[in-house]
Amino acid sequence: MSGSTTVSEGRALSPDDWSHPAERRYADAQARLADHYDLAVESRVTETDAAGRVHYLVGGSQDGDPLLLLHGVGTPAATWLPLFPALTDEYRVYAPDRPGLGLSAAPSYRDRDLRSYLVAYLLELLDDLAIDRPHVAGNSHGGLQSFLLAIDHDRVDRLQLVGAPGGVSRDLPLLFRLLTVRGLNRVLLWLLSRGDPVENARQSMQRVNVVDASAIPDVFYELLAAGQDLPGRPESQRSLATAQGSYGRAHPLFDIRDEIVGIDCPTQFVWGTEDAFYPPDVGRPVAEKMPDAEFHELPGHGHTPWLEPGDEVAGLVRGFFDN
């Protein structure tokens, strides 16, 4: 990842620019993943008042409409890299690491106003980039953030939810209910981290994110494994888990369907039938009540459907924003 830097887009970094060994390993895996997809993508950082350092990936046409990609609760910004080739000829694509994941800072989420804090760094990032209302695609937890950008701040032009988004139900899967229990989540995360980190990452993706992992390259699992050693990440992720719920019950923010249905910007849901979080029947009634929304069901696809084999999801994402 290389290229010139501009004031409006933060500071471009190479893997050698990171001071912590774990950060250098992660940045190197991220660069190798971009190389796997033959991408001219830059790794950049900016400083925010809300969350400290925010790292993001940026690529594509300098003159293209801005497109913001928001990742899920346990997957970093680099998870979006397989979609970049379908978008970067026309759009300026930005994929930030949510604080606590990837190369962003790792703050505590405890004792925060979760509704405002989840998007505060995004608002600062958009302001720094002089972007008013980008197109936005959100996956899972990033879907919840996308909804909040639209509902609370009117900062979304076109909205796409790729995979089941947060905000449509408080009924979390069993593992995620257990992770809301303080103390127990520390034990569970320790148990899940035992053994070979790369193999653990592989099993986690199969358990939660995809039905068919055959299109995922080995370097992607190496990236996820490297992320486990980033400074401050375990503590930040545990604090987010307990902020998002307590003793198995999700925070009320995870069911804002009555507010979502009032979003009037063009919206598209892309939802796999095998999504590990919620089946399509959870999201379809929400889409049907919205003034300008459509719903695409993908047979045999999981929670991060663009990581499944084939280019169907890339075509849906590109087609929606082109329209």
Side-chain angles (χ1 to χ4, degrees):
M1 297 181 186
S2 61
S4 61
T5 183
T6 62
V7 173
S8 63
E9 287 196 346
R11 181 164 56 94
L13 298 174
S14 72
D16 290 338
D17 289 322
W18 294 91
S19 59
H20 194 285
E23 293 171 337
R24 288 197 296 273
R25 288 193 298 271
Y26 184 91
D28 176 69
Q30 182 177 256
R32 287 188 287 116
L33 183 60
D35 288 343
H36 174 84
Y37 294 105
D38 196 24
L39 292 172
V41 174
E42 292 182 348
S43 172
R44 295 180 176 270
V45 295
T46 190
E47 291 293 326
T48 66
D49 292 333
R53 183 184 71 228
V54 171
H55 168 265
Y56 60 98
L57 300 170
V58 57
S61 172
Q62 290 279 359
D63 300 322
D65 289 343
L67 171 55
L68 182 67
L69 304 177
L70 301 178
H71 61 78
V73 70
T75 53
T79 306
W80 289 109
L81 286 175
L83 267 185
F84 271 58
L87 300 168
T88 49
D89 65 317
E90 184 70 25
Y91 298 95
R92 189 66 170 165
V93 182
Y94 301 89
D97 280 319
R98 178 185 50 73
L101 278 181
L103 292 169
S104 289
S108 174
Y109 284 82
R110 293 197 180 100
D111 301 321
R112 306 279 192 181
D113 177 1
L114 197 60
R115 182 164 188 145
S116 62
Y117 193 66
L118 285 179
V119 296
Y121 77 96
L122 292 172
L123 297 173
E124 288 191 61
L125 175 62
L126 291 176
D127 289 345
D128 287 347
L129 297 170
I131 297 172
D132 183 25
R133 299 175 76 246
H135 303 317
V136 179
N139 167 253
S140 190
H141 195 271
L144 173 60
Q145 293 174 289
S146 303
F147 288 142
L148 297 178
L149 284 176
I151 295 167
D152 293 345
H153 304 283
D154 191 26
R155 297 295 293 266
V156 179
D157 184 43
R158 297 178 69 85
L159 172 62
Q160 189 174 55
L161 296 314
V162 188
V168 297
S169 176
R170 293 182 71 184
D171 295 327
L172 298 176
L174 176 61
L175 175 61
F176 288 85
R177 293 201 303 270
L178 295 175
L179 288 174
T180 66
V181 182
R182 191 171 298 177
L184 178 59
N185 58 18
R186 183 188 296 268
V187 176
L188 285 172
L189 291 172
W190 175 75
L191 288 172
L192 291 171
S193 68
R194 296 178 68 189
D196 179 68
V198 173
E199 183 57 30
N200 288 342
R202 194 185 309 273
Q203 292 180 8
S204 177
M205 290 300 294
Q206 287 277 187
R207 184 169 54 243
V208 177
N209 291 88
V210 295
V211 175
D212 183 348
S214 61
I216 300 177
D218 288 343
V219 66
F220 180 77
Y221 300 118
E222 294 167 11
L223 173 87
L224 296 183
Q228 299 298 319
D229 296 327
L230 290 170
R233 172 181 164 159
E235 296 80 7
S236 183
Q237 284 289 85
R238 288 199 303 270
S239 73
L240 177 61
T242 52
Q244 291 181 149
S246 59
Y247 296 98
R249 187 63 172 162
H251 190 288
L253 188 58
F254 282 80
D255 187 358
I256 52 171
R257 285 173 287 183
D258 291 344
E259 296 178 72
I260 292 169
V261 298
I263 295 174
D264 60 3
C265 67
T267 302
Q268 183 186 71
F269 293 81
V270 178
W271 206 304
T273 59
E274 309 307 312
D275 196 298
F277 278 79
Y278 311 118
D281 287 348
V282 172
R284 190 179 294 104
V286 178
E288 291 172 349
K289 293 178 182 179
M290 297 175 72
D292 190 5
E294 55 189 67
F295 193 94
H296 283 273
E297 186 172 313
L298 295 171
H301 285 62
H303 188 55
T304 49
W306 69 94
L307 296 180
E308 307 277 0
D311 57 6
E312 182 177 4
V313 177
L316 284 170
V317 173
R318 177 61 187 262
F320 174 71
F321 291 117
D322 283 354
N323 288 332

